Amino acid sequence: MGQLLFFSNNKNKIIEIRKIFKKFNLKLLSLRDLDISDEPAENGRTFEENAKIKSDFGFNKTGIPCFADDSGICIEALNWKPGVLSKRFLNDFKSTESCFRSIIKSTKKTLKLKAYFKTSISLTVKDNQNLIFNGKIDGKISVQAKGGFGFGYDPIFIPKNYNKTLAELSTKEKNEISHRSIAVTKLINFLIN
Ligand code: IMP
């Protein structure tokens, strides 16, 4: 495969994914390289649907094979929400701390501790033909927010078989087990085989 477009404006994700691709000698283009600033509405009901909306949009705009990802957290005590609305859910509280307090309160009240992060990557290679690569990490909600690494919901999520939150793990440790790295590894295995 020659060129591949990663449909994302998230600087940190682009850096992270470029690093992985370099190891495999694959050339990755970003939206900035192609001066693309418009994005489709992410109005899918699932991570898979949102990832496909973005990768189809990128392919249709450029004709270059394109992939996009969509992720979030699903929390048992919230009936497995916020899911695809994870970013909005966090932003709707007056602070990250109050969001975490509310989640922890619901978890304690219902005694439903489970949670998982999921990433779906969609790769569009031809008109309306896409492939999906999923990654998931199971765990539970912590009784208190802890740790300074990572982002988003990392401080309240304890991966299964661990006794630390994702925010207490280094970036390298998180990348070894994360939903995102599982999905990216599946994508890369597909591309190099
Ligand atoms: P995105 O689709 O990857 O941009 O993720 C949407 C939202 O889900 C983010 O804004 C975060 O709030 C949350 N999220 C996704 N992945 C992670 C993660 O690895 N750690 C913590 N929060 C995450």
Side-chain angles (χ1 to χ4, degrees):
M1 178 169 304
Q3 292 182 320
L4 187 62
L5 171 63
F6 177 37
F7 197 90
S8 174
N9 267 320
N10 181 323
K11 250 195 211 160
N12 291 326
K13 264 192 209 170
I14 296 169
I15 293 171
E16 186 181 308
I17 292 199
R18 272 229 159 100
K19 258 191 208 156
I20 304 175
F21 270 70
K22 216 170 171 186
K23 271 200 278 190
F24 295 95
N25 222 1
L26 294 166
K27 183 170 164 50
L28 197 66
L29 296 171
S30 71
L31 293 181
R32 187 174 292 192
D33 295 324
L34 301 180
D35 239 355
I36 296 173
S37 55
D38 46 342
E39 289 182 37
E42 292 179 35
N43 50 15
R45 281 166 301 127
T46 61
F47 297 114
E48 287 87 345
E49 280 177 19
N50 275 341
K52 178 177 175 349
I53 288 170
K54 290 183 269 188
S55 68
D56 281 354
F57 184 89
F59 176 79
N60 291 335
K61 217 168 159 66
T62 62
I64 298 170
C66 175
F67 74 93
D69 73 325
D70 199 57
S71 352
I73 191 167
C74 302
I75 299 170
E76 186 186 18
L78 304 182
N79 289 326
W80 300 109
K81 289 187 171 85
V84 289
L85 300 177
S86 292
K87 192 174 177 178
R88 252 173 277 172
F89 184 79
L90 197 54
N91 292 339
D92 279 350
F93 284 84
K94 67 175 191 300
S95 67
T96 303
E97 291 68 32
S98 60
C99 175
F100 290 170
R101 270 200 302 275
S102 161
I103 294 172
I104 292 168
K105 199 171 155 196
S106 304
T107 303
K108 283 183 178 159
K109 199 168 139 195
T110 59
L111 295 177
K112 290 179 175 170
L113 308 185
K114 288 184 197 156
Y116 64 88
F117 279 108
K118 184 174 166 184
T119 293
S120 293
I121 291 179
S122 168
L123 171 68
T124 304
V125 281
K126 280 189 195 156
D127 237 350
N128 262 323
Q129 272 190 32
N130 80 307
L131 289 147
I132 294 283
F133 305 90
N134 283 323
K136 184 175 176 237
I137 175 172
D138 286 307
K140 64 178 181 188
I141 298 298
S142 168
V143 291
Q144 92 188 79
K146 275 195 226 162
F149 293 113
F151 68 101
Y153 297 85
D154 283 345
I156 55 162
F157 182 83
I158 300 179
K160 202 173 169 180
N161 302 324
Y162 281 71
N163 52 18
K164 286 179 180 178
T165 68
L166 271 184
E168 291 179 287
L169 300 180
S170 68
T171 307
K172 189 167 175 279
E173 282 173 309
K174 178 183 168 185
N175 283 344
E176 277 162 14
I177 57 169
S178 83
H179 48 308
R180 196 168 296 102
S181 70
I182 294 169
V184 173
T185 305
K186 288 182 185 170
L187 167 71
I188 288 181
N189 283 337
F190 171 80
L191 292 171
I192 60 179
N193 283 321

